[in-house]
Amino acid sequence: MKRLASIAFATAIALFLQGCAGWQSALDPKGPAAGELAWLIWFFTGLCAVVWVLVMAALAVPLMMRSRQRAEPLALDAGADNRKLRVVMTAVGLTAVILIGLTLLSFFANRTLAAIGSDAALTIRVTGHQWWWEVRYEDATPSRILTTANEIHIPAGEPVRLLLTSTDVIHSFWVPSLSGKLDLIPGHMNVLDIKADKPGVYRGQCAEFCGAQHANMGTFIIAEPRAEFDAWWNDQLQPAAAPTSDEAKTGEDLFLKRPCVMCHKIGGTPAGGTVAPDLTHVASRQTLAAGTLTMSRGNLAAWIADPQGVKPGSHMPVVDLSGDELNAIVAYLEGLK
């Protein structure tokens, strides 16, 4: 019986600890900012646990001693009163020392976080919309400025500066494995410096309730070696690939004649909308609708055919398309890599 209890306890602990890892966990840091914050979390948690145990012991011991003694309601003991006073004063002093220590730890942690982006060579402007992320790569050469959506590519091992703002309501940018949270406020620019220690994909999420689809406002940080990042940027700067199949050509023609062209931009075509995600290389992304669906032909068709069914309340309208028209537009879009 004891063996079964031990196995059950070990299993429960193992399952509990699974929540400390993964691509969206503040306790599984993959960068210096997240590492600093994770250390603070563990230290605060451990210290608070010790304090709790000491307080419970300080309460339990007198109660147990009192229960073993005969009560004398009006008895006075000056010596005991003095001892109790010293205990209380010592506890107050320790509390003050602990609070001051924790405050200093937080202060120095903030200094460490602020120093991460001091030599950042890459600046990315991230704008929050209901419910997606506009991502603009800044560059001194105007022709190399790149705008994409929802997925943020960065060079691994290098600090990156994110400029955060919003066009509608307050959002909050949070990629737990790489950094802490920071709000995106309309009319205001906040600065967040991040760094990924090694290549990988790290999931982020809007952490401030921003409306009906707040839970489906995800993002992905894709860290890759500098050479791969540079190649990706150069590829993204190219105009959309011209369709090759007859179906895709029909899809392009339909896209440019339907309401899609009023909201979306596709480089190299007359489509120049700016109120929705840029679709120039939409098929190169891993997800659709800010992480709501994985990228596939079927999900792309579902999103176009019934955006309100996939993401109720989203600003993408339903466009009346026949089955053949839908397939043609999907064929065109899935060629935009």
Side-chain angles (χ1 to χ4, degrees):
M1 189 65 180
K2 291 183 178 180
R3 180 178 176 80
L4 289 176
S6 299
I7 294 174
F9 178 75
T11 302
I13 292 296
L15 291 174
F16 175 77
L17 292 177
Q18 287 299 310
C20 299
W23 66 354
Q24 189 176 323
S25 173
L27 301 179
D28 187 17
K30 301 298 182 182
E36 189 72 16
L37 294 173
W39 181 86
L40 274 181
I41 290 172
W42 285 119
F43 185 84
F44 272 55
T45 302
L47 182 59
C48 290
V50 170
V51 170
W52 182 85
V53 170
L54 292 177
V55 170
M56 293 299 103
L59 288 173
V61 170
L63 290 174
M64 292 175 64
M65 293 177 61
R66 183 70 175 174
S67 66
R68 295 174 183 174
Q69 299 173 354
R70 175 174 294 181
E72 298 180 14
L74 299 179
L76 298 177
D77 186 342
D81 289 343
N82 288 333
R83 288 194 298 273
K84 293 173 184 177
L85 179 61
R86 287 195 293 270
V87 169
V88 171
M89 296 303 295
T90 300
V92 170
L94 287 175
T95 300
V97 170
I98 290 172
L99 290 176
I100 292 172
L102 294 179
T103 300
L104 289 174
L105 282 175
S106 297
F107 172 75
F108 288 112
N110 281 328
R111 290 186 61 181
T112 301
L113 296 178
I116 291 173
S118 58
D119 57 347
L122 176 63
T123 299
I124 304 173
R125 184 186 298 265
V126 179
T127 303
H129 302 267
Q130 289 181 311
W131 290 272
W132 61 284
W133 309 91
E134 180 182 349
V135 182
R136 175 185 166 104
Y137 290 77
E138 304 289 1
D139 195 275
T141 304
S143 61
R144 290 193 57 78
I145 293 176
L146 168 66
T147 301
T148 180
N150 298 324
E151 294 180 4
I152 305 174
H153 287 246
I154 64 172
E158 299 181 26
V160 176
R161 173 152 292 178
L162 303 182
L163 305 179
L164 308 177
T165 189
S166 172
T167 60
D168 37 48
V169 300
I170 296 176
H171 302 278
S172 186
F173 185 87
W174 188 33
V175 183
S177 294
L178 298 181
S179 69
K181 304 174 186 176
L182 192 61
D183 286 349
L184 294 81
I185 303 171
H188 180 77
M189 189 73 70
N190 279 334
V191 178
L192 179 66
D193 297 319
I194 64 172
K195 179 181 177 182
D197 289 333
K198 59 183 181 180
V201 179
Y202 309 104
R203 192 182 191 282
Q205 178 68 38
C206 178
E208 178 83 21
F209 181 73
C210 56
Q213 287 301 316
H214 160 70
N216 286 324
M217 188 174 172
T219 185
F220 292 87
I221 300 285
I222 302 172
E224 49 203 353
R226 166 54 79 167
E228 293 182 18
F229 171 76
D230 289 339
W232 171 84
W233 191 336
N234 290 329
D235 287 343
Q236 294 290 306
L237 289 171
Q238 302 304 311
T244 55
S245 69
D246 290 339
E247 185 179 40
K249 291 177 182 178
T250 300
E252 179 185 34
D253 185 61
L254 286 167
F255 185 94
L256 296 176
K257 291 180 178 178
R258 294 303 178 99
C260 322
V261 75
M262 303 299 295
C263 299
H264 295 283
K265 177 181 178 180
I266 296 181
T269 76
T274 59
V275 298
D278 188 306
L279 301 182
T280 304
H281 298 286
V282 62
S284 68
R285 299 171 194 158
Q286 298 183 8
T287 66
L288 289 164
T292 306
L293 299 171
T294 56
M295 178 63 70
S296 69
R297 183 182 177 93
N299 285 339
L300 191 56
W303 175 238
I304 296 171
D306 187 16
Q308 298 305 312
V310 173
K311 200 169 181 175
S314 65
H315 299 313
M316 181 168 168
V318 176
V319 178
D320 187 20
L321 297 169
S322 68
D324 290 339
E325 290 173 333
L326 176 61
N327 286 332
I329 291 177
V330 169
Y332 171 57
L333 293 179
E334 71 173 351
L336 302 181
K337 297 183 177 179

